[in-house]
Amino acid sequence: MSTTPSFTSMNASDLAEILFTSPLQESDRPSAEQVRAAIHVRFGACGGDSAACAAVVAQEAGDHPESFLARMRWALTTVYAAYPDLTTAA
C-alpha cells in the first residue's frame, strides 16, 4: 500500500504552499509541467507531509515579510494555471 497522497485530494491552497517552498521563481516563467514536477519533488522532500511544507511557508513569512505576499500570490495563480480543475477549499 502506497502512503503517497494523491495531489487530486489537495486543494489549490495546499498546492500553492508546496510550490511556495520550491526553488521555482516567477521569473523562471515555469510551464504547467514544470510546476507540477516541482510540487511533486518538493512534497516528497517534505516527507509527504503538507504540514512540513506549511512550516517552511510560515518560516519564510517571518523571515521575509516584504516578499511573502507577492510570492504566495504568484504560487496560487500559478497553481490555478497548472491545475485548472482545483478549488480553493477542500
Side-chain angles (χ1 to χ4, degrees):
M1 179 166 102
S2 174
T3 59
T4 304
S6 168
F7 287 124
T8 59
S9 67
M10 293 184 175
N11 64 42
S13 296
D14 296 333
L15 295 174
E17 284 186 349
I18 296 168
L19 179 60
F20 183 98
T21 66
S22 82
L24 279 184
Q25 298 293 317
E26 182 175 11
S27 61
D28 295 334
R29 297 187 179 269
S31 68
E33 260 183 41
Q34 290 171 310
V35 169
R36 290 188 294 267
I39 289 171
H40 181 76
V41 168
R42 186 64 193 136
F43 190 63
C46 289
D49 180 6
S50 59
C53 286
V56 174
V57 171
Q59 181 67 47
E60 285 297 313
D63 290 349
H64 305 285
E66 72 285 352
S67 61
F68 171 77
L69 182 59
R71 179 150 175 89
M72 185 53 78
R73 187 174 293 138
W74 167 80
L76 190 55
T77 300
T78 302
V79 162
Y80 275 122
Y83 300 91
D85 294 335
L86 289 177
T87 61
T88 55

